[in-house]
Amino acid sequence: MAELLLGLVGSRPATLGAGRLLCIDGPAASGKSTLAAEVAALVPGTVVVQVDDLLDGWEGLPTVDLAVDRLLRPLARDEASSYRRYDWDRGRFAETVPVEPAPLLVLEGCGAGSRRSADLATLIVWVSAPTELRVTRGVERDGERMRARQAQWLLDEAELFAAEDTRARADVEVDGTGASAPVVRPRPGGGCT
C-alpha cells in the first residue's frame, strides 16, 4: 500500500512549496498511523505530523482545519513552521515542535484532509474500518479509561467528516482492515480535489 501511495505522490507536482503533502485522514483507530509509518519507512527524510498533536484535546476537532492550516501555510512558502504539541496525559499544550520544509510531509489524523488546506495536498487518503473494530483498537491503544470519551469523539468526527466531505474528496480510499483493495480516484483535470 505504501508503495502505491508513494507512486501517486511522486507522479504529481509539488504542492507544499518544493515538497509534497500526503494527507492520511479517516476516523480514529482505522489504521492511519500504521500507514503513515509504512510510508515514512520507505522515504528517508519524510516528516510525519500527527494531527492529534495539533488538537486542543478532546474538544479540538471543530477547529482542526485552522490548526492544520497554521502548520501548512509557512511550509507552502518553503519556510519553517511549528506547532504546540498537545499533551493528552496532562490535558494541555506542551512544547513547541519545529517543522522544516521537507520533500515529503505526511500529515495523518482526523482532519488531515480538511478543505481549508486542500489546495496544498498532493494526495488525500481516506482510511476506514468498521466502528466496532475501531473502538476495540482505541481501547487497546489508549486504555479502558478512554472508553467514555470515545462515544463523544465518534460523534464529533462523524460531524467533522460530514461537513468536510472528506471521504468523497479523497484521492485514494483504503480499507484499514486490509480486506479489500484500495480505490484510486482520478482527479479532474489533474488538480486538487
Side-chain angles (χ1 to χ4, degrees):
M1 174 59 55
E3 294 87 356
L4 169 70
L5 298 181
L6 287 170
L8 290 168
V9 166
S11 72
R12 295 180 176 184
T15 55
L16 196 62
R20 289 173 171 80
L21 173 62
L22 172 58
C23 299
I24 303 177
D25 207 329
S30 58
K32 300 178 301 299
S33 298
T34 300
L35 183 55
E38 290 170 3
V39 168
L42 295 177
V43 182
T46 295
V47 174
V48 177
V49 175
Q50 296 179 329
V51 174
D52 286 358
D53 289 345
L54 308 178
L55 297 177
D56 191 1
W58 290 101
E59 290 77 35
L61 276 179
T63 58
V64 67
D65 62 332
L66 297 172
V68 165
D69 204 57
R70 274 193 303 269
L71 169 71
L72 297 177
R73 292 296 162 185
L75 295 168
R77 298 186 300 268
D78 276 328
E79 298 171 4
S81 187
S82 65
Y83 62 91
R84 293 273 316 272
R85 184 188 65 82
Y86 190 80
D87 185 326
W88 289 83
D89 292 327
R90 294 185 174 153
R92 60 183 167 86
F93 284 100
E95 76 279 2
T96 298
V97 178
V99 180
E100 296 293 327
L104 179 61
L105 173 69
V106 177
L107 182 64
E108 72 86 7
C110 298
S114 74
R115 285 185 195 275
R116 184 178 296 269
S117 305
D119 61 310
L120 303 178
T122 308
L123 192 74
I124 298 175
V125 177
W126 176 265
V127 182
S128 62
T131 302
E132 184 178 302
L133 175 61
R134 294 187 307 102
V135 169
T136 300
R137 286 177 176 175
V139 169
E140 288 173 357
R141 179 188 64 206
D142 300 329
E144 189 63 41
R145 62 187 171 86
M146 296 301 175
R147 188 180 292 274
R149 294 280 198 167
Q150 275 188 329
Q152 185 60 50
W153 183 268
L154 293 174
L155 294 173
D156 291 346
E157 70 180 13
E159 186 175 314
L160 171 73
F161 295 138
E164 292 282 339
D165 201 22
T166 314
R167 185 176 194 167
R169 292 186 304 104
D171 301 298
V172 180
E173 193 167 335
V174 174
D175 178 348
T177 68
S180 60
V183 175
V184 179
R185 299 182 185 111
R187 286 185 172 184
C192 294
T193 54

